[in-house]
Amino acid sequence: MSKTLFTVLLVWSTSFSLFAASGIKGKVIDASSQAPVEYAHVILYSGDKVVAEVMTDLEGGFQMTPLTVGEYTLMVRMLGYDLFTQSVLVENERVKDAGIMRLRQLEVGLGEVEVVANKKQVIYKLDKRVIEASSNMMASGGSAVDILENTPSIRVDAEGEVTFRGSSGFAVYVDGKPSIFSGTQALEQIPSAHIDNIEIITNPSARHDTEGAVGIINIITKKDMQQGVSGMVNLSGSTALTRTVDFLLTNQQKASRWFVGGSYSERLRESDFNQQKTTIVGDASTISHSDGPRKSNNFNYALKAGWQYALPQTTFDVDFEGGYGGRTRDGDLDYSEVRQVDGEATERGDYFSRDYYDIHETFFQGNVGMLHKFNDKGHQLSARFYAKYGGDALEYFQSDLFDKNNQRQQGHRAYEDEHRWTTRGNLDYIYPYSATGKLEAGYQYFSYLEDGDYSMEFWDPVKKEFYWSDEIYNTFYFMHGINSIYAIWGDSYKSFEFQAGLRGEHTHRVLRSSVEGSDRIYNKFELFPSVHLGYHFPNEHVLMASYSRRITRPQLFYMEPYITYRDYYSAEIGNPDIRAEYINSYELNYKKNIGQHSVSASVFHRSRKDKIERLRVPYVAGVTLDSMANVGSDYSTGVELSLQVQAARWWNINVNGSLYHYKVKNKLQNLGTDENSTNYEIALNNGFDAGKYTRIQVDGNFVGPSVTTQGRTDAFWYMNLAVRQQLFNRKVAATLSFRDVFNSARYVSNISTSNLESITKIRPQYPLIMLSISYTFNNFKARASQGHEGHDLFEGTNH
């Protein structure tokens, strides 16, 4: 290992001189606030010819190398700002500092710019794509899921679970730090009004965790960089009785800045649920039918606060958040079943099925960080420590069957009480060895610990009371720790830029359970490489390529070795021997700016070994059992397209689409088959300026079918409409949105195996209309702080 590290360092050191050349660098800031302007478009001209172009980084900086000696013209473009130009003379084979470039806001002001000049929905960078939060009016009053609604290859199933390129294996970060929640729950908990933009990192570099089959979704929250006190308040409500209130108050006083924020959120969803199911156990079969409404509530009540102090070269920050969040769901269904033996009916029954679950947690999390800049050329050292405690955590499931006289015939209650600790620490170092190149290295530690117990009580129809089941009671302990080191080399030469990294991770995992024979201990060290390449062609053509190796490690709910019940006819069990998934991901991106228009395309291929999937089999009469298994390998190959067109001054169009082929090679032939499908979806977003302070948005979405090893989900389509009106000198914005205008969205899922047939149909509540009101005071101006498609209509897909 030491010889390998020495060789790598030797190669790096001998490469320093290869990229020393003449060039131009500079920094772009807001002329009024003096805040850096990130993602500004900087174009370098030699006469009428475009020589180079870049986007500014998070600090507003940019650099173009190498260049030949001569006179150039710099142009800086950013929506909402006046055009900036400056002449620059490059000489003496060195990087010319063009200085600070101050962009002046257009006279209409920031609030009005949101109406008359749309920001680009998607910005492509070397290792990520950036989704502009304010560009989607349908997200008003919603969450991060709604902002992602028009993003290619992102979709949400009937339960609201987000998938990206067919996988739910993505990690969620907030301002570069892991979210206190995971997956879809993390996206649902963040109010859209607090989000500046969202970064989708499909092939993360070595500085990021390797968890997540399809990468990382990093949510950048709003911060106010104005001097003095300012803030915003947002309220929303819907016909589904969704209600949210959130606020953010900040105070910037020279080197010191503090903020206080909070949210009260109850996002309700209701759908009509219909399921027909046939299960075969031995020579007996059960045919059942469930029909009725199901309702869910994703709730979160939280307060947060933070403080930052900036010295000339060192910045310290600390923040804290505490709250209570989770999800409930209840169903009130008509349930009938017929039991047969050798084709002859032996028993019939008509019931009312009432099920309910409540998954919640009281959480407290905080983190402290430090950033020291040795100079203004990017030489820096940063450190951060994060801790989160989840107490009073409960997963509660209840299910009952009542006869037509409303007398309980069967029922059960399930309780999973838990305590959870998460800690994370990192130390990161960046050394720019030349005007264009830099080395990065760091150490990161992660630990997750959970312990608790699981218990159940069942209904005794004779005694007409619930009793505890001693044989089901179980205790569990789960600890998951990862120690990581990484190194990255990045540089550019003329129009070519690259980044290569290597990450090493040691995993230590412990599972203990009172279920006999289920204790497991796991230790392993693994390497994960990543590569990112970019080339800027003349006339604003950009080509980017990337590769990364990633992993999805088993979480506790994958491994729980005991049976739990989600409702009367659906049971689950984990697999303590489940193996990690290993993913190799390749991507090629193309981008072209054509005046105010742009087109981009991504071609990707992902192969996954030991794919983890939930399999469904008959358990007892009328009840199915979902278990976790490594079903085999799967492959996704496809293309994503994005077109942004300014059709007229008052009309802009965004078209996002994806087409990919998905193939599953199943090695569990008795529980499924090899499957393949062509998946496609398209989203059309139209924005119209109906007046100086009025904007209208019309969306159309078509989602193609998808497959698993056990079945398929049918295609569906829907349309959305939103109107935003700014009032009171643009301090107040009111948005009225109407989802699924034509009531066309339908979720249909089919599962078919040798001993199970299931058809599930879900229809969302109609109409779904939401009103959101946002108020900003003292000229609140947001800026980012760095440290699957939202078809969010259905309820009840975990059927």
Side-chain angles (χ1 to χ4, degrees), residues 120-303:
K120 288 187 176 180
Q121 276 197 340
V122 183
I123 297 173
Y124 286 84
K125 304 196 79 177
L126 181 63
D127 59 350
K128 71 187 76 171
R129 71 184 73 171
V130 182
I131 310 300
E132 171 56 47
S134 65
S135 63
N136 189 352
M137 290 163 53
M138 290 301 303
S140 297
S143 66
V145 173
D146 302 289
I147 294 174
L148 292 168
E149 182 167 11
N150 292 322
T151 304
S153 299
I154 287 185
R155 65 169 67 185
V156 169
D157 67 17
E159 186 78 354
E161 293 297 318
V162 177
T163 58
F164 179 43
R165 292 178 178 172
S167 173
S168 59
F170 56 85
V172 177
Y173 282 48
V174 180
D175 291 329
K177 303 181 289 289
S179 169
I180 58 177
F181 297 103
S182 61
T184 302
Q185 187 181 12
L187 298 175
E188 287 276 14
Q189 301 300 326
I190 304 175
S192 60
H194 286 202
I195 300 173
D196 191 37
N197 56 58
I198 298 178
E199 298 175 342
I200 298 180
I201 311 172
T202 50
N203 275 337
S205 66
R207 80 171 62 89
H208 296 291
D209 292 346
T210 56
E211 284 284 349
V214 289
I216 294 171
I217 296 178
N218 184 30
I219 299 171
I220 307 299
T221 60
K222 292 179 178 177
K223 302 290 187 295
D224 180 43
M225 304 303 290
Q226 296 292 103
Q227 291 293 314
V229 179
S230 58
M232 63 178 180
V233 179
N234 305 281
L235 303 93
S236 66
S238 79
T239 53
L241 300 183
T242 286
R243 52 264 186 184
T244 68
V245 179
D246 60 80
F247 73 94
L248 182 62
L249 181 68
T250 72
N251 184 14
Q252 180 83 36
Q253 298 293 340
K254 295 182 180 180
S256 177
R257 174 189 170 276
W258 59 259
F259 73 89
V260 177
S263 64
Y264 172 94
S265 168
E266 294 188 351
R267 306 184 191 280
L268 283 75
R269 186 186 299 117
E270 182 175 354
S271 292
D272 293 325
F273 179 89
N274 185 294
Q275 183 181 75
Q276 292 180 316
K277 184 164 58 177
T278 301
T279 58
I280 300 174
V281 180
D283 59 354
S285 63
T286 302
I287 303 171
S288 63
H289 180 218
S290 306
D291 182 46
R294 271 187 167 172
K295 302 177 182 179
S296 71
N297 180 13
N298 286 287
F299 59 90
N300 187 53
Y301 321 110
L303 290 172

Side-chain angles (χ1 to χ4, degrees), residues 343-532:
E344 296 292 330
T346 60
E347 186 177 346
R348 297 177 183 268
D350 293 302
Y351 306 94
F352 296 118
S353 173
R354 294 169 186 166
D355 58 84
Y356 173 79
Y357 76 66
D358 180 2
I359 302 174
H360 63 251
E361 176 185 64
T362 301
F363 62 89
F364 302 94
Q365 70 95 17
N367 77 89
V368 58
M370 179 276 295
L371 170 64
H372 178 74
K373 296 183 178 181
F374 297 96
N375 53 40
D376 61 355
K377 298 179 180 179
H379 187 196
Q380 63 184 47
L381 176 69
S382 61
R384 184 166 297 278
F385 178 78
Y386 160 89
K388 179 229 171 181
Y389 172 69
D392 187 32
L394 176 67
E395 298 182 15
Y396 171 74
F397 295 82
Q398 108 178 26
S399 186
D400 298 289
L401 281 182
F402 294 85
D403 62 22
K404 293 302 180 178
N405 296 318
N406 208 31
Q407 297 297 310
R408 182 184 283 111
Q409 300 299 305
Q410 299 185 51
H412 67 253
R413 308 283 187 269
Y415 309 81
E416 192 167 32
D417 294 280
E418 302 165 344
H419 295 273
R420 306 160 181 159
W421 274 102
T422 304
T423 56
R424 179 182 293 269
N426 62 277
L427 184 67
D428 303 287
Y429 176 71
I430 301 176
Y431 174 69
Y433 61 81
S434 72
T436 60
K438 64 179 179 180
L439 302 176
E440 299 182 45
Y443 165 78
Q444 297 171 359
Y445 171 76
F446 167 80
S447 174
Y448 176 79
L449 186 151
E450 180 176 332
D451 71 319
D453 59 17
Y454 180 80
S455 56
M456 285 190 67
E457 51 181 347
F458 292 86
W459 176 253
D460 186 330
V462 177
K463 296 182 179 180
K464 296 188 180 303
E465 63 182 23
F466 283 95
Y467 66 93
W468 293 100
S469 174
D470 292 336
E471 67 261 21
I472 286 183
Y473 179 78
N474 177 69
T475 60
F476 59 87
Y477 171 89
F478 179 75
M479 196 283 288
H480 183 65
I482 303 173
N483 286 275
S484 308
I485 55 173
Y486 73 90
I488 300 174
W489 175 28
D491 212 322
S492 63
Y493 179 73
K494 293 186 177 180
S495 297
F496 173 73
E497 56 182 328
F498 74 90
Q499 184 186 90
L502 184 64
R503 185 179 181 92
E505 294 189 343
H506 178 267
T507 303
H508 175 67
R509 185 169 65 238
V510 177
L511 172 67
R512 298 195 186 105
S513 171
S514 54
V515 175
E516 185 176 354
S518 61
D519 290 359
R520 299 289 188 276
I521 297 178
Y522 177 90
N523 288 283
K524 192 172 185 179
F525 179 81
E526 299 169 283
L527 293 174
F528 299 89
S530 65
V531 178
H532 296 80

Side-chain angles (χ1 to χ4, degrees), residues 559-598:
M559 306 174 67
E560 292 171 333
Y562 48 87
I563 291 177
T564 63
Y565 281 81
R566 186 169 57 248
D567 52 47
Y568 174 72
Y569 32 81
S570 302
E572 297 177 339
I573 189 170
N575 178 0
D577 294 313
I578 199 82
R579 298 184 301 278
E581 299 176 333
Y582 291 93
I583 302 98
N584 287 288
S585 178
Y586 307 82
E587 190 161 335
L588 182 66
N589 299 308
Y590 168 78
K591 175 178 172 289
K592 164 68 175 173
N593 289 326
I594 310 170
Q596 292 181 299
H597 320 300
S598 69

Side-chain angles (χ1 to χ4, degrees), residues 470-717:
D470 292 336
E471 67 261 21
I472 286 183
Y473 179 78
N474 177 69
T475 60
F476 59 87
Y477 171 89
F478 179 75
M479 196 283 288
H480 183 65
I482 303 173
N483 286 275
S484 308
I485 55 173
Y486 73 90
I488 300 174
W489 175 28
D491 212 322
S492 63
Y493 179 73
K494 293 186 177 180
S495 297
F496 173 73
E497 56 182 328
F498 74 90
Q499 184 186 90
L502 184 64
R503 185 179 181 92
E505 294 189 343
H506 178 267
T507 303
H508 175 67
R509 185 169 65 238
V510 177
L511 172 67
R512 298 195 186 105
S513 171
S514 54
V515 175
E516 185 176 354
S518 61
D519 290 359
R520 299 289 188 276
I521 297 178
Y522 177 90
N523 288 283
K524 192 172 185 179
F525 179 81
E526 299 169 283
L527 293 174
F528 299 89
S530 65
V531 178
H532 296 80
L533 306 172
Y535 191 84
H536 295 257
F537 294 91
N539 301 319
E540 301 191 47
H541 294 272
V542 182
L543 190 65
M544 294 170 282
S546 61
Y547 162 79
S548 69
R549 181 174 186 257
R550 304 194 58 73
I551 187 172
T552 300
R553 296 180 176 91
Q555 303 301 308
L556 176 59
F557 72 90
Y558 290 0
M559 306 174 67
E560 292 171 333
Y562 48 87
I563 291 177
T564 63
Y565 281 81
R566 186 169 57 248
D567 52 47
Y568 174 72
Y569 32 81
S570 302
E572 297 177 339
I573 189 170
N575 178 0
D577 294 313
I578 199 82
R579 298 184 301 278
E581 299 176 333
Y582 291 93
I583 302 98
N584 287 288
S585 178
Y586 307 82
E587 190 161 335
L588 182 66
N589 299 308
Y590 168 78
K591 175 178 172 289
K592 164 68 175 173
N593 289 326
I594 310 170
Q596 292 181 299
H597 320 300
S598 69
V599 60
S600 58
S602 299
V603 178
F604 64 89
H605 174 75
R606 186 186 77 230
S607 63
R608 175 166 49 177
K609 178 185 176 184
D610 286 333
K611 169 181 166 60
I612 297 174
E613 190 170 299
R614 187 180 296 277
L615 299 180
R616 180 165 294 177
V617 297
Y619 179 47
V620 295
V623 180
T624 55
L625 177 65
D626 289 356
S627 61
M628 307 301 295
N630 297 104
V631 299
S633 301
D634 69 349
Y635 308 88
S636 297
T637 304
V639 60
E640 297 169 347
L641 297 172
S642 180
L643 179 65
Q644 301 179 47
V645 177
Q646 193 70 39
R649 187 179 183 278
W650 49 272
W651 178 21
N652 70 284
I653 302 171
N654 288 275
V655 183
N656 294 302
S658 66
L659 173 68
Y660 65 95
H661 182 74
Y662 180 69
K663 179 173 65 175
V664 182
K665 287 190 174 180
N666 177 43
K667 66 180 182 181
L668 305 176
Q669 297 298 328
N670 60 323
L671 295 176
T673 61
D674 290 352
E675 294 284 352
N676 65 84
S677 67
T678 299
N679 300 270
Y680 49 90
E681 52 198 57
I682 187 169
L684 173 64
N685 176 292
N686 290 272
F688 304 95
D689 299 329
K692 189 175 182 181
Y693 304 115
T694 307
R695 186 164 181 81
I696 300 173
Q697 179 176 315
V698 181
D699 294 346
N701 297 271
F702 178 82
V703 183
S706 61
V707 300
T708 67
T709 56
Q710 292 192 311
R712 62 181 285 116
T713 300
D714 291 354
F716 63 93
W717 69 275

